[in-house]
Amino acid sequence: MSREVRVRFAPSPTGALHIGGVRTALYNYLFAKKMGGKFLLRIEDTDQTRFVPGAEEYIKESLEWLGISPVESPWNPGDCGPYRQSERKAMYMQYALDLVEKGHAYYAFDTSEELEAMRERLTAARVVSPQYNSITRTQMKNSLTLPAEEVKARLASGEPYVIRVKIPRNEEVRLNDMIRGWVLVHSSTLDDKVLMKSDGMPTYHLANIVDDHLMTITHVIRGEEWLPSAPLHVLLYRFFGWEDTMPTFAHLPLLLKPDGNGKLSKRDGDKLGFPVFPLNWVDPFSGEKASGFREGGYLPDAFLNFLAFLGWNPGDERELFTLDELVEAFSVERIGKSGTKFDIAKAKWYNEQYLRTKPNSELVDFLTADAKAEGLEVPGDKVEAILNLVKGRVTFPADLWRESKFLISAPTEFDQDVAAKKWNADAAKLLGDYATALDVFEEAFDAATAKSLLESTAESAGIKLGKVMQAVRLAVTGMGGGPDLMEVFAILGTSEVAKRIRFALNTLTIVA
RNA sequence: GGUCGGUUCGUCUAGGGGUUAGGACGUAUCCCUUUCACGGAUAAAACACGGGUUCGAUUCCCGUACCGACUACCA
C-alpha cells in the first residue's frame, strides 16, 4: 500500500525567493527524485495583501536556472490543479464547514479591537501567553458562546466572521518528524487558530492541509519555522479523518546569518556583502534592488552543490556532486538538526572548482562576450590556449576576461611600483637584444623555444635572467604578476612580443 | 514570558560508550613555480557547562547556560 512519493514546494509570492527557500525546494526535489516520485509546486497566495507582482515568475525562473523544476505547477499543471491557492478559493469553505459540523471548528465574530482588548486584559492579569483558546473563547463572541439564533442572524446579515479551529483542552499531540524524531506537544499550549479569514480566504493552516490532502502529498519537507504549528496540522488531519494518509513531516534546520545570529532573511539583501537570492530582484513597489547569485557569477551547478551541503552531507568525504549524483546520494536521514550559518567563502570555492573543471567549450562565451563588451575580439585560434592559461586563476566567469585581457590588448601603461623597483639598464639591454632576435626568429614559437631564446640572449649579453625577469614581464604585460610568461609569449607570437618590448623601451625610463 | 527545537575546530561537518576526535572552507608556513595564482605538504584550531548511568562518557539520561524558531484574520 505504499503510495507514490509526492512532495511539494509551496512558496508565497511575496517577493524574491531567498536562498533558504531555494534549499527547501532543492531538498524536496532531491527527495522526490531519489524516491522515484514527483516534485510539485504550489503557490500559496492566500494573503492577497502581500501579493507582489513578478514574484511567481521569479520563483519559476530560479528553479529553472538550477534545473530543479517541478513536474506539476501553475505553469505546467497536472491532475491536481489549480496550483495557485487563490484559484482554489472556492473549495476551502466546504472543508471549514465540515469541521464546524463535526464540532472541531466554530464561527467567531470578534473584531480586531475586541481581540486586542482581550490580549491586553490577559496581559494585565499576567496571563503568560494571551491567546484565543479553550479558556478565553468562552468570553468571546463566537458560535460557542452566542445563542444559535444570534449566530444564524449574524451570518445571515453578512457580518464578517472567521472560522476558528476548536483545539481540544487536554490532549497530547505527537508527530514523528523524519529529522527530529518524536515531538510531543500538549494541546493546551495551542490556540484556536483562524482557519477561514473574513475575506473568505483560508489561512495557511487550513489551505496547506486541504491541498496536501487533495494533491496526495506524501511528505512535507519544509523549514523549521513551521515546527511549532505542525501539531496543529496533525490535529487538523485527525479532525478531517485523514490520519491514515497524513504526510510524513521533515522540518529542515534554518539557514542562519554568517555573522552573529538569527535566521537569514530577505531583508539581509546585499547588506552582508553577498547575495542571499538566486537571481537579481527589484522590488516593484519600493524599487529596492537585491543582487542574485546568478548575476554575481555563480555557476548553477556550483551553487546547487554548495546549497545541498548547507545542512546535508553524504556521510563520506566527497564534496563535488552533480545534480544526478546528489539525487543518488541524498537521504533525509543525513540532514542535520542544527541551524547552518551561511558561508560565502565556501560558495566561492565551489565556484572555482567548477570553473576549473569545465571544458573550455563551456567557458568560451564568457570570455568572448566580455571582450566584445569592450570592443575587443579574441582570435578564435587563441581562445583555447588563453582559457587553459587562465582558468585556474579565477573565481567567477568575469575573471576570465579580466585575467586575460592583456593578451589581446597591449599595455599602454606600466605598473609604477614594479617599474621603480625592477626596471634597469640590464633589463633594457636584454629586451632590446631579445626583440632583435625575435625579428629574425622563424621556428615555431612555443613556450619552450621562447624560453631558450630568452636564455641564450641573456647569456650572450652576460645578464642573469633571474634578475630581470620581472622587468621582462612588466615590459610585455604591464604588470608584475600573471600566468606563466613564456606561455604568454607563445600566445602573443614573436612580432607582438617584439612590438610590446619596443613600446616599453620607448616608454619606460631608467631611474636607477 | 510561554511552547518547541538546537549546541563537535572561526565556518560547513564526520563520528559515536574505550579514536592520536576525521574531512572540507578559511588562516599560517613550506614545496613547486625565474612572478602571482593553481597544485602538493604541514600546522594551529572543536566535543558549552554541571550532575548522573557506567570499569569508562564527547557519545546515553537529567539539569543549567547559550543560540534560534514560533507565539497575526502572514506564510
Coordinates of all heavy atoms in Angstrom, one line a residue, chain B residues 17-30:
Chain B
rG17 P 27.7 4.1 20.2 OP1 27.5 2.7 20.3 OP2 26.6 5.0 19.8 O5' 28.3 4.8 21.5 C5' 28.7 4.0 22.6 C4' 29.9 4.8 23.1 O4' 29.6 5.1 24.5 C3' 31.1 3.9 23.1 O3' 32.3 4.6 23.1 C2' 31.0 3.2 24.5 O2' 32.3 2.9 25.0 C1' 30.4 4.3 25.3 N9 29.5 3.8 26.4 C8 28.4 2.9 26.3 N7 27.9 2.6 27.4 C5 28.6 3.4 28.3 C6 28.5 3.5 29.7 O6 27.7 3.0 30.5 N1 29.5 4.4 30.3 C2 30.4 5.0 29.5 N2 31.3 5.8 30.2 N3 30.6 4.9 28.2 C4 29.6 4.1 27.7
rG18 P 33.6 4.3 22.3 OP1 33.8 5.5 21.5 OP2 33.4 3.0 21.6 O5' 34.7 4.2 23.4 C5' 35.1 5.3 24.1 C4' 36.5 5.1 24.6 O4' 36.5 4.1 25.5 C3' 37.5 4.8 23.4 O3' 38.5 5.7 23.4 C2' 37.7 3.2 23.6 O2' 39.1 3.0 23.5 C1' 37.2 2.9 25.0 N9 36.4 1.8 25.2 C8 35.7 1.0 24.3 N7 34.9 0.1 24.9 C5 35.2 0.2 26.2 C6 34.8 -0.5 27.4 O6 34.0 -1.4 27.4 N1 35.3 0.0 28.6 C2 36.2 1.0 28.7 N2 36.6 1.3 29.9 N3 36.6 1.7 27.6 C4 36.1 1.2 26.5
rU19 P 39.8 6.2 23.5 OP1 40.4 5.3 24.6 OP2 39.6 7.6 23.8 O5' 40.6 6.0 22.2 C5' 40.2 4.9 21.3 C4' 40.4 5.5 19.8 O4' 39.2 6.0 19.4 C3' 41.4 6.6 19.8 O3' 42.7 6.0 19.5 C2' 41.0 7.4 18.5 O2' 41.6 7.0 17.4 C1' 39.5 7.1 18.4 N1 38.6 8.2 18.7 C2 37.7 8.6 17.8 O2 37.6 8.0 16.7 N3 36.9 9.7 18.1 C4 37.0 10.4 19.3 O4 36.2 11.4 19.4 C5 38.0 10.0 20.2 C6 38.8 8.9 19.9
rU20 P 44.0 6.4 20.6 OP1 45.1 5.6 20.3 OP2 43.4 6.4 22.0 O5' 44.2 7.9 20.1 C5' 44.9 8.9 21.0 C4' 45.3 10.1 20.2 O4' 46.3 9.7 19.3 C3' 44.2 10.7 19.3 O3' 43.5 11.7 20.0 C2' 45.0 11.3 18.2 O2' 45.4 12.6 18.5 C1' 46.2 10.4 18.1 N1 46.1 9.4 17.0 C2 46.6 9.8 15.7 O2 47.1 10.9 15.5 N3 46.5 8.9 14.7 C4 46.0 7.6 14.8 O4 45.9 6.9 13.9 C5 45.5 7.3 16.2 C6 45.6 8.2 17.2
rA21 P 42.0 11.6 20.1 OP1 41.5 12.6 21.1 OP2 41.6 10.2 20.1 O5' 41.6 12.3 18.7 C5' 41.3 11.5 17.5 C4' 39.9 11.8 17.0 O4' 39.0 12.1 18.1 C3' 39.9 13.1 16.2 O3' 40.4 12.9 14.9 C2' 38.4 13.4 16.2 O2' 37.7 12.5 15.4 C1' 38.1 13.0 17.7 N9 38.1 14.2 18.5 C8 39.0 14.5 19.5 N7 38.8 15.6 20.2 C5 37.7 16.1 19.5 C6 36.9 17.3 19.7 N6 37.2 18.2 20.7 N1 35.8 17.5 19.0 C2 35.5 16.6 18.0 N3 36.2 15.4 17.7 C4 37.2 15.3 18.5
rG22 P 41.6 13.8 14.3 OP1 42.8 13.1 14.8 OP2 41.3 15.2 14.6 O5' 41.5 13.5 12.8 C5' 41.6 12.2 12.2 C4' 40.7 12.1 11.1 O4' 39.3 11.9 11.6 C3' 40.5 13.3 10.1 O3' 41.6 13.4 9.2 C2' 39.2 13.0 9.5 O2' 39.2 12.0 8.5 C1' 38.4 12.5 10.7 N9 37.8 13.7 11.4 C8 38.2 14.2 12.6 N7 37.5 15.3 13.0 C5 36.6 15.4 12.0 C6 35.6 16.4 11.8 O6 35.2 17.3 12.5 N1 34.9 16.2 10.6 C2 35.1 15.1 9.7 N2 34.3 15.1 8.6 N3 36.1 14.2 9.9 C4 36.8 14.4 11.0
rG23 P 42.0 14.8 8.7 OP1 43.3 14.6 8.1 OP2 41.9 15.8 9.9 O5' 40.9 15.2 7.7 C5' 40.7 14.3 6.5 C4' 39.5 14.8 5.8 O4' 38.4 14.7 6.7 C3' 39.5 16.2 5.3 O3' 40.2 16.3 4.1 C2' 38.0 16.4 5.1 O2' 37.6 15.8 3.9 C1' 37.4 15.7 6.3 N9 37.2 16.6 7.4 C8 38.0 16.7 8.6 N7 37.6 17.6 9.4 C5 36.5 18.2 8.7 C6 35.6 19.3 9.1 O6 35.7 19.9 10.2 N1 34.7 19.5 8.2 C2 34.5 18.9 7.0 N2 33.5 19.2 6.2 N3 35.3 17.8 6.6 C4 36.3 17.6 7.5
rA24 P 41.0 17.7 3.8 OP1 41.8 17.5 2.6 OP2 41.6 18.3 5.0 O5' 39.7 18.6 3.4 C5' 38.9 18.4 2.3 C4' 37.8 19.4 2.2 O4' 36.9 19.2 3.3 C3' 38.2 20.8 2.3 O3' 38.7 21.4 1.1 C2' 36.9 21.5 2.8 O2' 36.0 21.6 1.7 C1' 36.4 20.4 3.7 N9 36.9 20.7 5.1 C8 37.9 20.1 5.8 N7 38.0 20.6 7.0 C5 37.1 21.6 7.1 C6 36.7 22.5 8.1 N6 37.4 22.5 9.3 N1 35.7 23.4 7.9 C2 35.1 23.3 6.7 N3 35.3 22.5 5.7 C4 36.3 21.7 5.9
rC25 P 39.7 22.6 1.1 OP1 40.2 22.8 -0.3 OP2 40.7 22.4 2.2 O5' 38.8 23.8 1.6 C5' 37.8 24.3 0.7 C4' 37.0 25.4 1.4 O4' 36.4 25.0 2.6 C3' 37.9 26.6 1.8 O3' 38.2 27.5 0.8 C2' 37.0 27.2 2.9 O2' 36.0 28.0 2.3 C1' 36.5 26.0 3.6 N1 37.3 25.6 4.8 C2 37.2 26.3 5.9 O2 36.4 27.3 6.0 N3 37.9 26.0 7.0 C4 38.7 24.9 6.9 N4 39.4 24.6 8.0 C5 38.8 24.1 5.8 C6 38.1 24.5 4.7
rG26 P 39.6 28.2 0.6 OP1 39.5 29.1 -0.5 OP2 40.6 27.1 0.7 O5' 39.7 29.0 2.0 C5' 38.8 30.2 2.1 C4' 39.0 30.7 3.5 O4' 38.5 29.7 4.5 C3' 40.4 31.0 4.0 O3' 40.8 32.3 3.6 C2' 40.2 31.0 5.5 O2' 39.6 32.2 6.0 C1' 39.2 29.8 5.7 N9 40.0 28.6 5.9 C8 40.2 27.6 5.0 N7 41.0 26.6 5.5 C5 41.2 27.0 6.8 C6 41.9 26.4 7.9 O6 42.5 25.3 7.9 N1 41.9 27.1 9.0 C2 41.3 28.3 9.2 N2 41.4 28.9 10.4 N3 40.6 28.9 8.2 C4 40.6 28.2 7.1
rU27 P 42.4 32.5 3.2 OP1 42.5 33.9 2.7 OP2 42.8 31.3 2.4 O5' 43.1 32.4 4.6 C5' 42.8 33.3 5.7 C4' 43.6 33.0 6.9 O4' 43.0 31.7 7.5 C3' 45.0 32.7 6.7 O3' 45.8 33.9 6.6 C2' 45.4 31.9 8.0 O2' 45.5 32.8 9.1 C1' 44.1 31.1 8.1 N1 44.3 29.7 7.5 C2 45.0 28.8 8.2 O2 45.4 28.9 9.3 N3 45.1 27.6 7.5 C4 44.7 27.3 6.3 O4 44.9 26.1 5.8 C5 44.0 28.3 5.6 C6 43.8 29.5 6.2
rA28 P 47.1 33.9 5.7 OP1 47.5 35.4 5.7 OP2 46.8 33.2 4.5 O5' 48.2 33.1 6.6 C5' 48.6 33.6 7.8 C4' 49.5 32.6 8.5 O4' 48.8 31.4 8.8 C3' 50.7 32.1 7.6 O3' 51.8 33.0 7.6 C2' 51.0 30.8 8.2 O2' 51.8 30.9 9.4 C1' 49.6 30.3 8.6 N9 49.0 29.4 7.6 C8 48.1 29.8 6.6 N7 47.7 28.7 5.8 C5 48.5 27.7 6.3 C6 48.6 26.3 6.0 N6 47.9 25.8 5.0 N1 49.4 25.5 6.6 C2 50.1 26.1 7.7 N3 50.1 27.3 8.1 C4 49.3 28.1 7.4
rU29 P 52.7 33.1 6.3 OP1 53.6 34.2 6.6 OP2 51.9 33.0 5.1 O5' 53.6 31.7 6.4 C5' 54.5 31.5 7.5 C4' 55.0 30.1 7.5 O4' 53.9 29.2 7.7 C3' 55.6 29.7 6.1 O3' 57.0 30.1 6.0 C2' 55.5 28.2 6.3 O2' 56.5 27.6 7.1 C1' 54.1 28.0 6.9 N1 53.1 27.8 6.0 C2 52.9 26.5 5.5 O2 53.6 25.6 5.8 N3 51.9 26.4 4.5 C4 51.1 27.4 4.1 O4 50.2 27.1 3.3 C5 51.3 28.7 4.6 C6 52.3 28.8 5.5
rC30 P 57.6 30.3 4.5 OP1 58.9 30.9 4.7 OP2 56.5 30.9 3.7 O5' 57.8 28.8 4.0 C5' 58.7 27.9 4.7 C4' 58.6 26.5 4.2 O4' 57.2 26.1 4.4 C3' 58.7 26.3 2.6 O3' 60.1 26.3 2.2 C2' 58.0 25.0 2.4 O2' 58.8 23.9 2.8 C1' 56.8 25.1 3.4 N1 55.6 25.6 2.8 C2 54.9 24.7 2.0 O2 55.3 23.6 1.9 N3 53.8 25.2 1.4 C4 53.4 26.4 1.5 N4 52.3 26.8 0.9 C5 54.1 27.4 2.3 C6 55.2 26.9 2.9

